[in-house]
Amino acid sequence: MSDFVAQCRREWKRLGVPRPLAEEMASDLASDLDEAAAEGVSAEQLLGNTVSDPRSFAASWAAERGVVRAPGGGGRGRPRALIAFTALAAVVLVVAAVLLATGEPKLSLVQTRTGPSGSSRHVVQAASAAAPVEWILLAVAVAALGFAVWLWSRWGRSRRYAFQ
Amino acid sequence: MDAGPAYGYEMTKRLRDRGLPTVGEGSIYPLLGRLERDGLVETYRAASNGGPPRKYYRPSPAGRVALALGVSEWRAARDAVDAVLASVTIEVAS
């Protein structure tokens, strides 16, 4: 069974469990397994199905002690993609707000009709119109920031649960 | 644990002796870890019977409160289930 304990040690090291804590858990586990063996209790009886999966066992134990993230809890830091998305949304929001505040340029989407058949197309035109690009940008940025807030709150909740 | 401080394997033995042989299977260590993290148990190291020093667990004051609440809730749930099942008659054809 020392192999089981050794695999647990490796997993704790991989997960970044503080060394004194890993040593303590390994020592307790080894002592229990030795005592069980001396009394004729097999490792399977003591550890059940987890005896075949020391990595999961080790990860679960460390997570319950609150020293590592629960299995499947994601990475340790803030997700980079979420940071980038939030930053991009914030930049777009600021740009849209500045454009609206300064009034330059006055861009808008307008529908034009060309030819006798009445076919139409949308063009960006420097003029004041009903659908200025700045307002569209602002709306998109606000929606994106709202989505980012929701993602951050979900991330925060998953982080809390991981350490419970 | 309420009966006296115990280390991990000792608890599985107590559970086995009380008719719960499978409770300890692999789950006792994460469970103790959670209780410790939540401050529901206190721990200390002491020599076991002729063996190496072991980590003993005993209920903390908060743990005793949680135990009392848990026991009360469990008994209430058990009584409710018993009341429902009391009217159930099972006939087994022979």
Side-chain angles (χ1 to χ4, degrees):
Chain A
M1 251 313 105
S2 61
D3 183 52
F4 185 86
V5 178
Q7 289 188 63
C8 287
R9 280 183 201 271
R10 279 198 291 276
E11 182 65 9
W12 287 326
K13 185 176 182 181
R14 189 186 71 80
L15 292 172
V17 174
R19 193 184 173 104
L21 199 54
E23 286 301 318
E24 177 193 291
M25 292 193 291
S27 169
D28 289 337
L29 180 59
S31 298
D32 282 357
L33 287 168
D34 287 347
E35 186 176 341
E39 294 181 356
V41 176
S42 69
E44 287 77 9
Q45 285 175 289
L46 179 62
L47 300 170
N49 294 332
T50 59
V51 75
S52 60
D53 191 359
R55 289 184 62 184
S56 293
F57 170 80
S60 170
W61 190 357
E64 292 293 357
R65 285 205 62 172
V67 292
V68 298
R69 186 171 301 283
R76 287 185 179 187
R78 289 176 174 79
R80 289 181 184 171
L82 185 52
I83 294 173
F85 177 74
T86 307
L88 180 65
V91 168
V92 172
L93 180 71
V94 170
V95 169
V98 168
L99 288 175
L100 280 170
T102 58
E104 294 294 339
K106 284 289 184 192
L107 300 177
S108 62
L109 283 174
V110 295
Q111 191 176 43
T112 61
R113 292 183 184 282
T114 57
S117 62
S119 61
S120 64
R121 60 186 180 137
H122 288 92
V123 296
V124 176
Q125 182 175 299
S128 295
V133 172
E134 300 97 305
W135 284 109
I136 294 173
L137 274 179
L138 189 69
V140 169
V142 168
L145 272 178
F147 184 56
V149 167
W150 178 73
L151 288 175
W152 278 111
S153 68
R154 272 193 64 191
W155 178 80
R157 275 201 301 273
S158 68
R159 200 173 145 83
R160 265 200 310 280
Y161 293 146
F163 282 91
Q164 278 178 0
Chain B
M1 207 187 299
D2 191 47
Y7 52 89
Y9 178 60
E10 196 175 5
M11 280 185 226
T12 66
K13 285 197 290 186
R14 287 183 186 177
L15 291 168
R16 205 184 313 144
D17 292 344
R18 295 185 185 194
L20 292 170
T22 59
V23 170
E25 286 186 352
S27 61
I28 193 82
Y29 301 100
L31 176 61
L32 289 172
R34 171 175 284 208
L35 291 174
E36 184 178 6
R37 184 199 63 200
D38 292 344
L40 299 177
V41 294
E42 296 171 339
T43 65
Y44 63 94
R45 286 211 163 263
S48 56
N49 295 333
R54 309 298 280 272
K55 185 175 184 177
Y56 283 82
Y57 297 82
R58 64 185 171 204
S60 67
R64 291 197 180 281
V65 172
L67 177 63
L69 287 173
V71 168
S72 172
E73 288 173 4
W74 170 262
R75 285 177 178 156
R78 181 202 58 193
D79 291 347
V81 172
D82 283 349
V84 170
L85 296 181
S87 61
V88 175
T89 304
I90 300 174
E91 293 179 6
V92 179
S94 57

